[in-house]
Amino acid sequence: MIYSLMWYEFIKKVAKKMKKILLIIGIIVGVAALSIGGYGYYLYDKTKTAVNDMQEDVKMDTPKPVVQGENLKPFSVLLLGVDERKGDKGRSDTMIVASVNPNTEKLFMFSIPRDTRTEIIGKGYEDKINHAYAFGGTQMALDTVENFLDTPIDYYVKVNMESFRDIVDAVGGVEVNNPRAFEYEGNSFPVGVQELNGKEALSYSRMRYEDPKGDLGRNDRQRQVIASIIDKGARVSSITKFDNILSILGENVKTNMTFDEMKDIQKNYKNARKQIESTEIKSSGKMIGGIYYGIVDDEERTRVQNLLKENLE
């Protein structure tokens, strides 16, 4: 997944102290496991178990790209941040699409606003793109994104956003730099640098209605939290914390990426982290039947499709 590439710096630091290193790729939250002296076999086994717990089958229309050997292929990945609470199937509040090209060593990424109006594949009518997950789970969300972008998606990583809280607490909290003061879910977030615990970080990453940038502002805050999780994770030295993080990830992350593919991607595509490009999908708000939608016109949709396809060539 995308954020796994950022773990390379983490691994370089830890390698000075470790005899053997194994990578687990996470998402939106990052994933890492290490073999440390006598703990090596235990962590290796724990890592593979966590990844096996993450596996979820979906129907893919195209074969996976080659991510090992000399003939490496570009690949795409859909990152789904799903807000699933007890008794609620949830919706995909965050949808980030990224492509990694090993030839140009470039990573291209963008977010699809959750209110984007498009055809829901499997339903036969148009609705908000984030409703696809609520209607048909990962499969319908994946199919709908592929149709919207007119491009096959090779991998996906789905993260239950509720796990943000547990992961943040597992690494000892996160640091963020808030550009705009606001209050949300009983928490107050002043302007500037501040430390957040798990509950606060989840609330910080959820607010959007008070943000002038809406979804884009929320996506910015979510990336802040993820980046801080990675930074704090790089400094985690306790074996019990790694054990706890792996258990949390195994329960809250689902993917079609295998353990071997995770290792190959980290090994063979790590240089793409040096050249990261992004874009924003522009849309106009419109009320239809009393419901707000984000309307992406054909020209804008084609622009984003072409940028994605170019990085997959």
Side-chain angles (χ1 to χ4, degrees):
M1 67 165 277
I2 301 310
Y3 294 106
S4 68
L5 300 176
M6 298 172 64
W7 274 99
Y8 179 60
E9 296 300 327
F10 165 33
I11 290 175
K12 288 200 300 184
K13 294 178 182 178
V14 179
K16 296 178 182 179
K17 302 178 181 179
M18 313 301 178
K19 295 181 179 180
K20 187 179 179 183
I21 301 175
L22 290 171
L23 171 76
I24 305 175
I25 295 181
I27 76 214
I28 292 182
V29 294
V31 187
L34 311 176
S35 296
I36 311 174
Y39 293 106
Y41 179 79
Y42 168 77
L43 281 180
Y44 180 87
D45 186 63
K46 185 76 174 180
T47 295
K48 295 197 72 172
T49 298
V51 175
N52 287 336
D53 289 341
M54 295 177 194
Q55 297 302 298
E56 181 181 54
D57 291 331
V58 294
K59 180 179 178 295
M60 310 297 290
D61 295 328
T62 57
K64 290 182 178 180
V66 177
V67 293
Q68 62 177 328
E70 297 181 358
N71 190 27
L72 298 176
K73 300 295 184 181
F75 70 87
S76 58
V77 57
L78 171 64
L79 308 178
L80 290 171
V82 180
D83 193 1
E84 291 181 321
R85 310 183 194 190
K86 191 172 182 179
D88 180 12
K89 186 174 183 179
R91 293 181 175 86
S92 51
D93 281 345
T94 302
M95 305 180 86
I96 299 175
V97 176
S99 60
V100 185
N101 191 313
N103 303 312
T104 61
E105 296 186 341
K106 184 173 77 173
L107 186 159
F108 173 65
M109 62 188 299
F110 57 90
S111 298
I112 302 178
R114 53 174 281 167
D115 292 330
T116 300
R117 184 177 172 89
T118 190
E119 180 184 355
I120 306 298
I121 301 304
K123 286 294 184 180
Y125 57 79
E126 293 189 341
D127 203 338
K128 295 184 180 184
I129 197 166
N130 74 317
H131 287 183
Y133 182 81
F135 294 149
T138 302
Q139 186 71 64
M140 191 171 289
L142 186 64
D143 292 343
T144 299
V145 168
E146 288 182 331
N147 181 70
F148 177 73
L149 296 173
D150 190 34
T151 304
I153 300 295
D154 301 308
Y155 298 106
Y156 80 90
V157 178
K158 180 181 70 176
V159 180
N160 184 354
M161 298 301 286
E162 284 286 322
S163 67
F164 257 40
R165 176 179 55 203
D166 297 330
I167 293 174
V168 168
D169 286 336
V171 299
V174 293
E175 181 181 282
V176 299
N177 188 1
N178 185 25
R180 181 181 297 273
F182 67 92
E183 294 185 1
Y184 189 65
E185 296 181 336
N187 298 298
S188 180
F189 303 99
V191 172
V193 177
Q194 53 206 281
E195 286 281 338
L196 305 179
N197 61 29
K199 181 181 178 181
E200 293 166 339
L202 181 60
S203 180
Y204 179 78
S205 65
R206 274 180 171 165
M207 190 280 288
R208 67 172 178 141
Y209 291 114
E210 295 180 30
D211 195 316
K213 295 178 65 178
D215 272 339
L216 298 178
R218 181 171 63 172
N219 289 339
D220 289 343
R221 291 192 304 279
Q222 288 173 347
R223 285 193 290 269
Q224 276 193 51
V225 173
I226 290 170
S228 188
I229 288 173
I230 292 172
D231 180 62
K232 292 294 289 290
R235 291 181 269 146
V236 168
S237 58
S238 169
I239 190 68
T240 57
K241 285 191 176 182
F242 279 122
D243 198 355
N244 189 26
I245 292 171
L246 285 173
S247 297
I248 295 169
L249 291 170
E251 295 173 359
N252 293 283
V253 176
K254 296 297 178 184
T255 182
N256 66 333
M257 192 179 294
T258 67
F259 181 65
D260 288 338
E261 286 169 337
M262 291 178 183
K263 292 190 296 179
D264 289 334
I265 288 172
Q266 190 282 326
K267 176 182 178 182
N268 299 320
Y269 293 75
K270 59 180 176 284
N271 287 336
R273 82 191 194 283
K274 298 176 182 178
Q275 185 182 178
I276 302 176
E277 295 183 7
S278 62
T279 191
E280 293 183 356
I281 296 180
K282 299 175 183 177
S283 63
S284 57
K286 184 176 181 180
M287 297 296 292
I288 301 177
I291 300 174
Y292 176 88
Y293 294 95
I295 307 300
V296 180
D297 64 34
D298 291 341
E299 183 178 353
E300 174 68 0
R301 185 168 169 176
T302 299
R303 180 188 72 85
V304 175
Q305 290 174 350
N306 288 340
L307 287 173
L308 176 60
K309 291 174 182 177
E310 286 172 9
N311 201 49
L312 290 171
E313 292 178 350

